Amino acid sequence: LIISNIIIKYYTLLWPLNSTTTEYSLKKYPIHFFTCTRNRADVIYDFKVSFFTMGQLPNFPWNFLERELENDSSSEIILDILKQTCLHPLCCKHPPSVRYRRLFLSRLIKRHEASGKEPLDELYDALGEVLGVEEGTECYKSYLLPCGEAVSLSESTAVISEGTTGLVTWEAALYLAEWALENTHLFTDRTVLELGSGVGLTGIAVCRSCRPSSYVFSDCHLSVLHRLRDNVQLNGLDNQNSPRVSVEHLDWEEVTEKQLREIGAATVIAADVVYDPDIIGCLVKLLSKILRCSANGSPPDVYISSTIRNPDTYSSFRHQLESSGIQHEVMTGPVTHVFFYNRQATIEMIKLYI
């Protein structure tokens, strides 16, 4: 026990909880999956969902776990959590970062030891397995869909990597994916074009759950495109006939109306593309081209999901839309919370039309 406490304190000091890597959101989650009315099975599932998305550790339902340990003479709930996280087959195949697993296990061990129960070899064995593993620059995050399948993504362990922020999944992409799951009719049997696909969360979720006829992922950063293609392949989308999937290099300044017509998208989506004042102009010009490239005689449905980090930047975007003759309508957000992410962030979904 003394040795385990030393290990826990060491890693707690080495990796403080205010880390700015993608393992921790920069803001807390005010709306948890966790409530006092949930039963044990629900909370174990919450641990699983949060663990595989590398959610912020302080926001796990630790209080529920402590109450369960107080009221139960066994350590069964600890073993159940371990089986649904570090010992789950998904963790063996697509594990969260080494550092994240170390910190998670350290917290789990600390709660168990505080309960005064007999040590669990399984806990220390799991920690021992990750202590000697070298941390890499990449990790996996897995997002569980309502159907039970997981969208597993290779992501960067740093928010900014290789000169881009496109190697991690952002809140607006998760928001857009949840909205798509509730509005499948806008994607079913349609050609869908996604702008700024990043690591691919939204598109893979749409392909898995919304049955589009074809889906075009796009981005312009070479490192992002490489990771995107890897994630499409990782999730098996390159080995199926439906939907037809492609990953395209799309430069917003150079793309022509002819190229857009060849894609023939009936639905166009984008998440977290309104973040830099310097690119708003070319984004608006691209959106104007898209809205004027009719598919089957009618303009495509265009939806933009944005986390409003800088109100002035977002206001400039909407102003330039209006100056270009593009109207917008604010859409109602998703009702069902499928993914674990920061819901305190201000996220707006708009539909564009001319």
Side-chain angles (χ1 to χ4, degrees):
L1 291 178
I2 294 174
I3 294 174
S4 67
N5 280 329
I6 292 173
I7 292 172
I8 292 169
K9 289 178 182 177
Y10 172 75
Y11 282 108
T12 301
L13 290 172
L14 189 57
W15 292 294
L17 294 177
N18 63 352
S19 169
T20 56
T21 66
T22 56
E23 297 164 13
Y24 309 103
S25 295
L26 302 181
K27 298 180 181 178
K28 291 187 177 181
Y29 304 97
I31 301 177
H32 295 200
F33 291 168
F34 326 133
T35 68
C36 58
T37 59
R38 283 181 163 257
N39 59 35
R40 177 183 287 206
D42 290 331
V43 172
I44 292 172
Y45 181 77
D46 291 338
F47 267 95
K48 178 182 180 180
V49 170
S50 306
F51 173 80
F52 281 111
T53 58
M54 292 171 58
Q56 193 175 25
L57 289 172
N59 290 321
F60 280 54
W62 301 111
N63 290 339
F64 184 98
L65 174 60
E66 290 169 358
R67 290 195 300 270
E68 285 291 298
L69 289 171
E70 289 176 2
N71 299 327
D72 192 340
S73 59
S74 74
S75 301
E76 182 181 351
I77 189 170
I78 292 287
L79 289 173
D80 288 340
I81 290 172
L82 197 59
K83 290 175 183 176
Q84 292 299 315
T85 53
C86 294
L87 300 184
H88 193 278
L90 183 59
C91 188
C92 297
K93 189 176 182 180
H94 303 306
S97 77
V98 172
R99 177 164 61 176
Y100 187 82
R101 283 178 282 154
R102 287 171 180 161
L103 281 172
F104 172 77
L105 286 166
S106 297
R107 283 178 174 264
L108 200 58
I109 289 171
K110 185 176 180 180
R111 260 61 176 198
H112 185 252
E113 290 181 347
S115 71
K117 293 180 170 52
E118 288 295 316
L120 286 175
D121 290 342
E122 292 88 343
L123 276 174
Y124 301 104
D125 289 344
L127 181 60
E129 286 183 8
V130 295
L131 286 180
V133 179
E134 185 178 351
E135 179 70 273
T137 59
E138 300 176 12
C139 64
Y140 289 99
K141 292 184 183 180
S142 296
Y143 304 85
L144 302 183
L145 298 173
C147 64
E149 295 181 355
V151 175
S152 294
L153 303 173
S154 170
E155 300 192 11
S156 171
T157 55
V159 171
I160 300 176
S161 177
E162 300 182 50
T164 178
T165 59
L167 295 174
V168 297
T169 298
W170 295 92
E171 290 95 342
L174 292 158
Y175 184 97
L176 178 55
E178 286 184 335
W179 182 85
L181 295 177
E182 293 183 355
N183 294 274
T184 58
H185 63 284
L186 296 172
F187 303 91
T188 301
D189 297 328
R190 289 187 172 196
T191 294
V192 181
L193 167 63
E194 182 181 6
L195 306 175
S197 298
V199 291
L201 181 276
T202 302
I204 294 170
V206 168
C207 289
R208 287 274 188 85
S209 303
C210 301
R211 296 184 291 109
S213 59
S214 63
Y215 197 98
V216 180
F217 295 85
S218 74
D219 214 293
C220 65
H221 196 285
L222 294 181
S223 295
V224 175
L225 285 167
H226 179 73
R227 186 71 59 87
L228 180 57
R229 291 189 179 98
D230 286 347
N231 284 332
V232 167
Q233 183 177 16
L234 181 69
N235 287 273
L237 296 182
D238 61 332
N239 295 324
Q240 59 187 44
N241 293 323
S242 181
R244 298 185 303 276
V245 170
S246 64
V247 177
E248 305 293 342
H249 178 272
L250 193 69
D251 188 309
W252 294 355
E253 291 185 303
E254 297 181 2
V255 65
T256 65
E257 291 189 12
K258 179 182 178 182
Q259 289 174 293
L260 294 172
R261 288 194 183 94
E262 288 174 353
I263 293 173
T267 300
V268 178
I269 59 174
D272 253 331
V273 293
V274 185
Y275 59 89
D276 183 350
D278 293 336
I279 66 171
I280 288 177
C282 65
L283 172 59
V284 171
K285 289 178 182 178
L286 171 61
L287 293 172
S288 180
K289 287 180 184 178
I290 289 172
L291 287 165
R292 287 167 174 79
C293 290
S294 301
N296 300 321
S298 59
D301 294 323
V302 180
Y303 301 93
I304 310 293
S305 174
S306 303
T307 301
I308 305 176
R309 300 179 182 86
N310 185 321
D312 291 338
T313 299
Y314 194 68
S315 177
S316 174
F317 170 62
R318 291 192 296 185
H319 176 72
Q320 290 191 46
L321 286 175
E322 293 174 4
S323 298
S324 299
I326 301 174
Q327 305 300 312
H328 73 272
E329 172 189 357
V330 178
M331 308 300 293
T332 302
V335 175
T336 304
H337 295 174
V338 176
F339 305 115
F340 184 77
Y341 61 95
N342 176 20
R343 296 180 185 277
Q344 189 177 25
T346 303
I347 302 176
E348 183 172 273
M349 168 90 70
I350 59 175
K351 179 180 180 179
L352 307 183
Y353 57 93
I354 53 176

